[in-house]
Amino acid sequence: MKMKSFFSKSSLLHTFLLPVFFVLHSWNNYYYLVKFQDLFVILFGILLFSFFLLTIALLILRNRQKAAILNFALISYMLFYGYIYDQLQHFIKFLSRHSILLTAFLLLFIIGAYILKKIKENQLLKFTNYLNILLVTFCLYEIIHTATIFNTYRKKENAETINSTPKQAQYPNIYILVFDEYASSKSLMRDYGYDNSSIDSFLKSSGFFVMKDSKSNYLRTNLSIASLLNFDYTSGLAPRGGMTAEDLLKSHKKIKYNALFDLGKKHGYEIYNYSIFDTEQSPSKVKNDYLFNNERIIISNTMISRLINDLGPSLPFPFLKKILGTNITAETYRKYNERAERLFLADIKIQKSRTPKLAYGHFLMPHPPFIYDSLSNPVYYDNQKMENYYEKKFVPKYLSYLSYTNSHLKKIITETLKENNNNCIIFVLGDHGYKVMDDSSLVNDHFFNNLQALYLPSEKYAPLKSNSTPVNVMRHIINNAFEKKLPYLTDSSVLLGNKW
């Protein structure tokens, strides 16, 4: 009876437990990407905003219990805004517009306040009691779930430590070099009339096997890298007409806990990661604003995050864009590429050791924005508005930036071979082709036609073909480097765009 009385009288309990439930529930779904200690800052921010909204409701309703219920409804709508939007996309698409959902939020505030003003306080006791019990139950469930995750994760870490004893055999250094959105020479000539054969000639003269008919496995970076680092297709994607936000997070999980780094670690490799992704075995050495910010996953479906993200970089909210990670400018890309290249080149010159290296370098070029021209002159500057680069009018800028990229690609390849005395494995590729979206004359192949070339000291490239895809090239590398017998898969490209 005392417990029931406590729940009935604690008019503010449910409105403050709601953010706790939301944050715990989100972390339990994405614990593999977010550090638990990072939740406290997020929780504090949501609680602070909830208190602000509660204060406004109190000023209007002049009653703590009524204000708490109104605040609960409004915060619930804001926290789960993205889920509501996505469900409407699937079932009632004409309602999935921010203007409609924001109008609904305003109506919820006005109508909710009006109804609560008319209702007597004692009529809300049972409802308050119900909300309190419901939120306490939900929070207890999430706490138990969190404890289970911690226990399971600790056991997994201990098991990995036991099973990861380095081997004594000497293996070659392995370099996976991704140049984002680098199209194949075949596609560049066929689709844009651009002759990039000089890069193929450079690679061939350096001993590379150039796959002139190559295609990426996916047209999205995260899916391509997930399949590349796991040398397999990314399974478990939602069977719908496009990629969902959930699919995106699944691919990031596969990247973080990828099979390649795990295999390398177990064979005594030292892992070097110069990319936009953090991994469990090796966090990225290139810390910058572009790096996939795992903490933002927790609030990615909230109203404010969705509005800032969907309505574009032109919105005048620099402070919010900084917090939500959408304040990305040309300077962000410039700093990232310069740092990634500088660190990569510095590390390959480190004094040779008996520990083999496995390095993954990811360079955001010739990926837009096209920040340099062919003469290395800056095109975009910090805070300059960046446009939709996937329109065909930007093709000349892409091709000019490609020329700039080629000079850096050649430098990286030349230095890598030199410092390894040509005794290393190098796989250089584009994660997908150049994605021009508004030219119906282009076949879908242009999304996938990527640069792809492999260097093996043994020159044993069979059974790879001119149209082999990255999953099979990676399997060939593993079979050669570690004397494995992985079967080769059917080469395939999966056309999967956005669904949100």
Side-chain angles (χ1 to χ4, degrees), residues 292-303:
F292 186 78
N293 191 325
N294 296 328
E295 293 76 24
R296 293 199 304 270
I297 294 171
I298 301 297
I299 57 172
S300 62
N301 278 311
T302 61
M303 178 189 286

Side-chain angles (χ1 to χ4, degrees), residues 369-433:
F370 311 123
I371 53 180
Y372 290 102
D373 63 17
S374 59
L375 301 176
S376 300
N377 296 314
V379 175
Y380 277 100
Y381 299 90
D382 196 19
N383 297 323
Q384 185 177 352
K385 183 180 177 181
M386 296 187 292
E387 303 176 74
N388 180 3
Y389 304 103
Y390 297 114
E391 297 175 2
K392 59 183 179 182
K393 68 178 182 180
F394 286 102
V395 169
K397 288 188 177 181
Y398 170 82
L399 298 176
S400 184
Y401 192 34
L402 183 70
S403 179
Y404 169 89
T405 302
N406 284 345
S407 63
H408 289 264
L409 184 152
K410 290 177 181 178
K411 179 181 179 182
I412 290 170
I413 293 293
T414 301
E415 289 296 317
T416 303
L417 288 172
K418 175 185 173 184
E419 294 299 327
N420 286 274
N421 297 318
N422 294 335
N423 188 28
C424 62
I425 294 173
I426 304 174
F427 182 26
V428 58
L429 71 155
D431 54 340
H432 49 74

Side-chain angles (χ1 to χ4, degrees), residues 30 32 237-238 240 243-251 500:
Y30 308 122
Y32 47 85
L237 299 177
R240 295 184 283 272
M243 188 176 68
T244 66
E246 188 177 349
D247 294 333
L248 178 69
L249 294 173
K250 284 180 181 177
S251 66
W500 70 89

Side-chain angles (χ1 to χ4, degrees), residues 153-364:
Y153 191 68
R154 192 178 296 112
K155 287 180 179 178
K156 181 184 174 184
E157 280 188 330
N158 292 338
E160 286 179 349
T161 302
I162 293 170
N163 295 324
S164 60
T165 305
K167 308 294 182 182
Q168 296 302 314
Q170 183 65 39
Y171 297 103
N173 290 338
I174 301 174
Y175 300 92
I176 311 298
L177 304 177
V178 176
F179 286 82
D180 209 298
E181 204 148 336
Y182 198 121
S184 68
S185 295
K186 177 181 178 180
S187 171
L188 291 168
M189 177 56 74
R190 179 194 67 200
D191 300 321
Y192 313 114
Y194 182 81
D195 184 1
N196 198 43
S197 58
S198 62
I199 202 69
D200 291 350
S201 298
F202 164 76
L203 289 168
K204 288 177 182 177
S205 66
S206 299
F208 281 78
F209 170 54
V210 178
M211 287 153 263
K212 60 184 179 66
D213 300 310
S214 62
K215 293 181 183 178
S216 63
N217 296 112
Y218 298 92
L219 60 81
R220 284 296 304 254
T221 294
N222 52 296
L223 292 175
S224 288
I225 300 304
S227 63
L228 178 78
L229 298 182
N230 289 283
F231 34 93
D232 202 351
Y233 293 98
T234 303
S235 61
L237 299 177
R240 295 184 283 272
M243 188 176 68
T244 66
E246 188 177 349
D247 294 333
L248 178 69
L249 294 173
K250 284 180 181 177
S251 66
H252 279 287
K253 180 180 181 180
K254 289 182 176 293
I255 292 170
K256 182 166 185 177
Y257 299 96
N258 70 80
L260 179 65
F261 285 8
D262 186 55
L263 181 67
K265 206 77 172 178
K266 289 178 179 178
H267 284 77
Y269 273 82
E270 188 171 353
I271 312 298
Y272 292 80
N273 178 10
Y274 313 88
S275 80
I276 57 176
F277 304 103
D278 275 330
T279 68
E280 184 72 0
Q281 295 285 11
S282 178
S284 175
K285 300 185 73 170
V286 193
K287 296 297 181 184
N288 69 101
D289 294 332
Y290 191 90
L291 184 69
F292 186 78
N293 191 325
N294 296 328
E295 293 76 24
R296 293 199 304 270
I297 294 171
I298 301 297
I299 57 172
S300 62
N301 278 311
T302 61
M303 178 189 286
I304 295 174
S305 181
R306 275 298 183 96
L307 290 175
I308 294 292
N309 192 58
D310 292 357
L311 298 182
S314 58
L315 289 174
F317 303 116
F319 177 70
L320 281 176
K321 289 193 287 186
K322 185 71 174 176
I323 293 173
L324 299 172
T326 55
N327 192 34
I328 296 174
T329 66
E331 193 62 22
T332 307
Y333 288 82
R334 199 185 328 274
K335 287 180 179 178
Y336 171 84
N337 284 329
E338 287 176 357
R339 183 166 172 77
E341 183 176 340
R342 184 175 69 252
L343 289 174
F344 179 86
L345 292 175
D347 283 348
I348 62 173
K349 294 179 181 178
I350 293 175
Q351 187 176 2
K352 311 298 184 296
S353 68
R354 291 188 177 182
T355 305
K357 297 177 182 178
L358 171 54
Y360 159 41
H362 195 129
F363 308 97
L364 294 173

